């Protein structure tokens, strides 16, 4: 029996999972399939320029994948969601092998998703350099309205 085709992503969480799987597998086609079909999609890598459009984003990830897959795990995901948009604030843990052995690096990431004709798709991935101290969060205590 042939394999059952996978269902289209039904939530921003599904798209995000596919995005990180694509990074972990260095799968450029899978990675590009999570992006919206819009000329204004954008991506910023830590310390890098803003890349706008699918062609620029694809070229950047192809260059990264030329060095292999990325050992990255999303941690501490915070979500804001409306009917047709979602914003995920993510702490990414990236493991890299260097001359000193296995090292951990962190990135503070914002992933933005919209609900369109193709279902949920990514429109922005913006990553800034982070540090281990980012594991701690500073947040306002919930206030009570009287």
């Amino acid at each position: 029996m042939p394999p059952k085709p996978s269902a289209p992503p039904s939530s921003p969480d599904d798209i995000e999972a596919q995005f990180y799987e694509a990074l972990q597998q260095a799968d450029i086609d899978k990675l590009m399939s999570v992006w919206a079909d819009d000329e204004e999609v954008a991506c910023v890598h830590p310390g890098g320029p803003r890349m706008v459009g699918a062609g620029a984003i694809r070229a950047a990830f192809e260059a990264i994948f030329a060095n292999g897959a990325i050992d990255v795990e999303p941690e501490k995901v915070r979500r804001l969601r409306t009917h047709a948009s979602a914003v995920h604030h993510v702490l990414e843990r990236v493991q890299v092998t260097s001359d000193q052995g296995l090292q951990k690096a962190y990135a503070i990431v914002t992933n933005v998703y919209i609900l369109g004709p193709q279902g949920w798709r990514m429109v922005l991935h913006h990553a800034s350099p982070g540090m281990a101290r980012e594991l701690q969060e500073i947040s306002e205590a919930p206030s009570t309205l009287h």
Side-chain angles (χ1 to χ4, degrees):
M1 180 176 245
K4 188 177 179 181
S6 61
S10 60
S11 73
D13 288 335
D14 291 342
I15 287 290
E16 192 156 80
Q18 286 186 14
F19 176 74
Y20 286 105
E21 287 170 10
L23 293 175
Q24 294 160 355
Q25 298 165 1
D27 185 335
I28 192 68
D29 292 326
K30 185 175 194 172
L31 183 125
M32 293 310 297
S33 74
V34 307
W35 289 89
D37 185 17
D38 188 291
E39 62 190 36
E40 294 299 321
V41 294
C43 181
V44 179
H45 292 138
R50 178 173 58 168
M51 295 161 283
V52 179
I57 293 168
R58 182 181 195 95
F61 279 106
E62 285 176 336
I64 291 169
F65 290 165
N67 295 316
I70 303 169
D71 186 358
V72 59
E73 290 292 330
E75 297 182 354
K76 295 202 176 201
V77 180
R78 293 190 166 257
R79 298 166 178 85
L80 300 168
R81 184 169 170 182
T82 67
H83 170 70
S85 64
V87 178
H88 290 189
H89 302 277
V90 182
L91 177 66
E92 287 180 355
R93 180 182 40 81
V94 182
Q95 295 191 133
V96 294
T97 303
S98 70
D99 294 339
Q100 293 82 33
L102 190 63
Q103 303 289 315
K104 289 182 184 176
Y106 296 90
I108 302 167
V109 176
T110 303
N111 292 324
V112 179
Y113 306 92
I114 60 168
L115 180 59
Q118 300 172 326
W120 287 98
R121 292 291 184 264
M122 181 179 278
V123 293
L124 173 70
H125 172 75
H126 184 203
S128 298
M131 300 176 77
R133 71 172 184 249
E134 308 304 343
L135 293 170
Q136 300 295 319
E137 292 183 342
I138 300 171
S139 62
E140 183 177 350
S143 60
T144 304
L145 296 176
H146 299 286

